[in-house]
């Protein structure tokens, strides 16, 4: 990376301060480059570096939602084969990696006010064709009944009303999201407890 900061001048009498500025400039450059990579390949991200580098990167990155793990160490001279070995324990259980990535995405969408959770809100947004990614717990079912409008449902009490009864609203939401170009991911039971077992990321 270009070291275009001038050598010692009055404003940079402390050489360590100069190094900090150059390091942050470099890390900003790396973080900006990640925009292109992560837009092209939506995969979980691992960040490797010394404790000092990782500390600075955590403060400035705009890609927290993609980062699954920070791995501390000095790997500057590591070969590709060595890097694979270092990461092996972290990606050995790919399902956990993927689920952590999905939770990160939900958190990011919530921060941007683009997340619906709980069956009623998810149904409403899915019927409005706003669903980009539906995340739902395995084996989750939701018998429901229609409200006064298509986008309104409520949990169906027994005995079921045969005229407004929806056997499983989760299946219907999945179908609607896929029909409108969205994606669906399933996660382990209880993983979405704070989202009432189902969540929908809307188009940004």
């Amino acid at each position: 990376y270009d070291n275009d900061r001038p050598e010692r001048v009055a404003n940079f009498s402390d050489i360590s301060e100069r190094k900090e500025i150059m390091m942050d400039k470099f890390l900003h450059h790396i973080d900006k480059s990640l925009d292109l990579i992560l837009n092209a390949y939506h995969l979980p991200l691992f960040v490797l570096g010394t404790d000092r580098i990782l500390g600075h990167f955590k403060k400035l990155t705009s890609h927290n939602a993609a980062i699954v793990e920070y791995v501390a160490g000095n790997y500057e001279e590591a070969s590709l084969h060595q890097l694979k070995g270092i990461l092996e324990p972290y990606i050995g259980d790919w399902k956990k990696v993927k689920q952590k990535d999905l939770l990160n995405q939900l958190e990011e969408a919530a921060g941007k006010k683009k997340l619906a959770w709980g069956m009623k809100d998810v149904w409403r947004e899915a019927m409005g064709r706003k669903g980009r990614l539906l995340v739902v717990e395995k084996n989750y079912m939701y018998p429901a009944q229609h409200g006064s409008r298509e986008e309104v449902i409520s949990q169906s009490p027994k005995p079921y009303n045969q005229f407004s009864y929806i056997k499983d609203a989760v299946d219907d939401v999945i179908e609607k999201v896929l029909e409108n170009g969205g994606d669906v991911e399933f996660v382990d039971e209880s993983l979405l407890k704070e989202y009432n077992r189902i969540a929908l990321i809307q188009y940004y």
Side-chain angles (χ1 to χ4, degrees), residues 119-120 123 142-147 152-157 164 166 169:
M119 194 64 235
K120 292 179 183 179
W123 177 277
Y142 192 96
Q145 61 186 21
H146 287 290
V152 177
I153 60 168
S154 59
Q155 193 153 21
S156 187
S164 62
I166 305 170

Side-chain angles (χ1 to χ4, degrees), residues 38 41-46 66-68 94 97-98 101:
L38 293 175
Y41 309 100
H42 188 82
L43 291 169
L45 175 66
F46 294 86
I67 297 170
V68 171
W94 184 250
V97 171
K98 186 64 178 173
D101 179 53

